[in-house]
Amino acid sequence: MNRYHAGTYDVIVVGAGHAGVEAGLAAARMGAKTLMLTISLEGVAFMPCNPSVGGPAKGVVVREIDALGGEMGHNIDKTYIQMRMLNTRKGPAVRALRAQADKQLYQRKMKKTIEDTENLTLRQGMVEKLIVEDGVCKGVLVATGAEYRAKSVVLTTGVYLKGKIIIGDLQYESGPNNMQASVKLSENLQELGFNLVRFKTGTPPRVNGRTVDYSKTEIQPGDDAPLAFSYDTTEFLKEQIPCWLTYTNPETHRMIHDNLGRSPIYSGVIVGTGPRYCPSIETKIVRFSDKNRHQLFLEPEGKETNEVYVDGLSTSLPEEIQRRLLTTIPGLENAEMMRPGYAIEYDALVPTQLWPSLETKKIKGLFTAGQINGTSGYEEAAGQGLMGGINAARKASGKEPIILDRSQAYIGVLIDDLVTKGTNEPYRLLTSRAEYRLLLRHDNADLRLTELGHDIGLIPEERYQRFLAKKQLIEQEKARFSAMTIKPSEKTDALLKQKGAAPLREPMKADRLLKRPELDYQDVSTLMPPSDVAIPDDVAEQVEIQIKYEGYIEKQLQQVEKMKRMEKKKIPQDLDYDAIDGLATEARQKLREVKPISVAQASRVSGVNPSDISILLVYLEQGRLARKTG
């Protein structure tokens, strides 16, 4: 193979899935000359699994991506066929948007956005090797012999590294949906000394919607209210396409039990570790043997196709068994299978080999983001891609990285979990992983992150000014509620009785009245003189949440301040943990491996106990005293 110099860039992004597109767009929008290389141009922003974006925790990530200046929220708002707000009967900390995407349109719109972006070059090419000189990544080598040089490289290879498709006894080297796998790059990473693990994920069969009997299923319509992931969106879909709900049954389960010996998961063919929170139907039947049915959602893949995704029926059973399984399910008795479900095994990087910036510890200038870091899900990939692209661009221009902490964003929780604790299975973001989830809500992502997005250079000035105006209006309206007194009256008592609330016995401030669980913003505002300015729904929502949950929010903010004091206690990267007397052997080993940048991060490392942290704090303090006296 003849090598030739094909170009020099500030940032090269390898891969164009959900992590790659965010990384490339972010770097280019920040002014970095950026190259995005993908195995196939048809694979840009491809959705190999369910055609949806959002859900608990994940939906908040999409809002955070948008607040920082990323693209996923914009793109799904332009291409969804249905949108719903989940958990509306629960508190604001667990509410989240979920949208069904028009799969092909989502891809086309994202590809067009990339093609139209200044400073960004999209090119097809199979990267086989990293160019590393003196411990620094200087570029990549493509299978054709093209050599591209750059100041930073971001690997967003998804599940393509040594990808292997498995359906029953059939196995073949492949990425998702029969796209080409990346073999040599995986081997190159091992040659460079990186520790890789083998993970597995899977998909269900797709069926022809014309052959589904929807009369035997339950309709799952979208919400009538205008909903959007992006704070920029002003146009909303008028006619949504419903999803449908059906269930497995004892006959389905018997058929799976009878054929477990032919399942690659149970026959030993599959060696990769699968996702705990999105298991195959075989695993569900074995693990939850007491359940006589499991939910299946029939999700249309778009407006211009009849293909329907059978969400919940992920499987790698032989194709013939999959076809028979479908006949046992209400509504799918005569369904024509268009694609069989499959499992895919792939190589992933052990994420404790990364700094919180997503730069690798072993090789400077090399960043990794997305499923290569052991995560599952489009949203987790996109959040990492955005941060990887931001930090690769900042590295190329000699700036310090941006690191989101656990109280700022779910993206911060995700990255900290990966680089501090690692993962022994495909990682899925859950609300329970965030200790400050009352602060990390769907509704306030812009208040948490827009200013940072503007400082980085990803939020335009006009949008930033709109954000500042909204922020000011929220404070004005909260002040109006705290200043206004509501007096007992017939109107007041009638409203309170209607809402099931106790009558007023004495005058009460409007903000205190709003704290009552039976009342909302609209209820209390009807008892007040009209505001001088129109109050948009998103402002009213913020006023209500911030007043109602003020005590809980204040408690979490106090916890955050305590954590931030620990984050400020930095640990030198050349610290010799073997020289610290009293540290447990496991703690020494884990601290050497993770190399935490602060005492707070050290306290979150698996195997490090509070007693180890106390010893570490004393050692660091003694070191400072020694330096002062010296």
Side-chain angles (χ1 to χ4, degrees), residues 483-516:
M484 181 62 60
T485 300
I486 307 294
K487 296 179 180 177
S489 67
E490 287 185 16
K491 179 182 177 182
T492 302
D493 287 347
L495 175 73
L496 294 176
K497 185 177 180 182
Q498 179 191 343
K499 294 291 180 178
L504 278 187
R505 303 192 180 279
E506 56 186 30
M508 183 181 287
K509 293 294 184 183
D511 60 347
R512 191 175 156 209
L513 189 61
L514 182 54
K515 289 180 186 289
R516 291 190 176 188

Side-chain angles (χ1 to χ4, degrees), residues 186-457:
S186 182
E187 292 170 352
N188 181 232
L189 287 170
Q190 287 180 302
E191 289 164 5
L192 291 168
F194 286 104
N195 186 12
L196 304 182
V197 289
R198 196 78 173 153
F199 279 168
K200 181 224 91 164
T201 187
T203 69
R206 272 73 154 181
V207 299
N208 188 327
R210 287 193 306 108
T211 63
V212 175
D213 184 353
Y214 290 109
S215 68
K216 296 182 178 179
T217 67
E218 300 168 32
I219 192 168
Q220 303 285 298
D223 289 351
D224 293 329
L227 298 170
F229 279 100
S230 175
Y231 291 91
D232 277 339
T233 298
T234 55
E235 294 183 14
F236 305 92
L237 187 68
K238 290 183 173 62
E239 292 185 18
Q240 300 188 42
I241 297 175
C243 295
W244 305 84
L245 174 64
T246 186
Y247 297 89
T248 62
N249 54 62
E251 186 184 352
T252 318
H253 299 187
R254 270 195 304 274
M255 189 177 294
I256 291 169
H257 268 296
D258 291 346
N259 288 280
L260 279 180
R262 300 185 67 188
S263 166
I265 296 171
Y266 291 95
S267 66
V269 171
I270 290 175
V271 296
T273 306
R276 179 191 305 257
Y277 300 102
C278 189
S280 68
I281 190 66
E282 301 98 290
T283 302
K284 285 182 194 174
I285 301 307
V286 171
R287 190 183 295 169
F288 307 107
S289 57
D290 57 317
K291 290 185 179 288
N292 59 13
R293 69 176 192 172
H294 292 278
Q295 286 185 333
L296 302 176
F297 289 96
L298 307 181
E299 302 175 347
E301 295 220 331
K303 288 179 265 190
E304 304 298 325
T305 179
N306 288 326
E307 213 168 336
V308 173
Y309 183 94
V310 188
D311 192 2
L313 200 68
S314 176
T315 182
S316 56
L317 282 163
E319 184 177 308
E320 60 178 295
I321 307 299
Q322 294 187 37
R323 291 172 70 133
R324 286 164 53 198
L325 274 183
L326 291 174
T327 65
T328 69
I329 295 163
L332 302 182
E333 295 92 342
N334 298 306
E336 292 177 5
M337 187 168 74
M338 297 178 73
R339 305 179 200 231
Y342 62 84
I344 181 168
E345 284 190 338
Y346 57 95
D347 284 350
L349 197 76
V350 174
T352 51
Q353 297 169 104
L354 306 174
W355 297 115
S357 64
L358 296 181
E359 184 178 18
T360 65
K361 295 170 182 174
K362 194 173 289 291
I363 297 175
K364 293 178 181 176
L366 177 63
F367 296 77
T368 64
Q371 283 187 267
I372 187 178
N373 289 343
T375 56
S376 65
Y378 309 143
E379 303 83 0
E380 289 94 333
Q384 291 174 72
L386 178 66
M387 298 313 298
I390 287 169
N391 288 329
R394 290 177 71 87
K395 179 88 176 182
S397 60
K399 295 178 182 174
E400 289 294 309
I402 300 293
I403 296 170
L404 299 174
D405 68 44
R406 298 180 70 89
S407 66
Q408 269 182 296
Y410 269 102
I411 299 173
V413 174
L414 161 67
I415 293 174
D416 183 67
D417 277 353
L418 290 173
V419 305
T420 305
K421 300 173 184 174
T423 183
N424 55 12
E425 62 188 43
Y427 175 102
R428 181 177 180 175
L429 195 56
L430 307 165
T431 54
S432 58
R433 296 193 192 271
E435 59 270 49
Y436 308 117
R437 57 185 170 275
L438 186 53
L439 304 180
L440 308 181
R441 305 186 308 273
H442 156 91
D443 60 85
N444 71 351
D446 60 336
L447 298 177
R448 291 185 276 121
L449 297 168
T450 303
E451 195 156 334
L452 176 59
H454 179 256
D455 291 345
I456 293 168

Side-chain angles (χ1 to χ4, degrees), residues 600-620:
Q601 188 187 359
S603 70
R604 296 189 292 270
V605 174
S606 302
V608 176
N609 298 315
S611 57
D612 297 312
I613 295 300
S614 298
I615 292 165
L616 181 60
L617 280 167
V618 170
Y619 184 86
L620 292 171

Side-chain angles (χ1 to χ4, degrees), residues 562-591:
K562 185 178 177 182
M563 183 266 290
K564 283 187 174 175
R565 287 195 292 273
M566 295 277 277
E567 294 287 5
K568 286 177 182 174
K569 296 181 188 295
K570 298 299 180 186
I571 300 176
Q573 290 311 296
D574 59 353
L575 184 63
D576 181 4
Y577 291 102
D578 290 327
I580 304 176
D581 291 333
L583 275 184
T585 303
E586 184 183 6
R588 276 202 183 90
Q589 178 191 335
K590 293 293 181 66
L591 290 168

Side-chain angles (χ1 to χ4, degrees), residues 536-578:
D537 290 344
D538 59 343
V539 170
E541 179 184 45
Q542 277 309 305
V543 171
E544 179 175 332
I545 290 172
Q546 291 184 27
I547 288 175
K548 246 186 208 312
Y549 296 93
E550 182 183 22
Y552 299 103
I553 290 170
E554 186 56 41
K555 275 185 182 177
Q556 289 221 327
L557 288 172
Q558 288 171 7
Q559 292 168 353
V560 169
E561 279 308 307
K562 185 178 177 182
M563 183 266 290
K564 283 187 174 175
R565 287 195 292 273
M566 295 277 277
E567 294 287 5
K568 286 177 182 174
K569 296 181 188 295
K570 298 299 180 186
I571 300 176
Q573 290 311 296
D574 59 353
L575 184 63
D576 181 4
Y577 291 102
D578 290 327

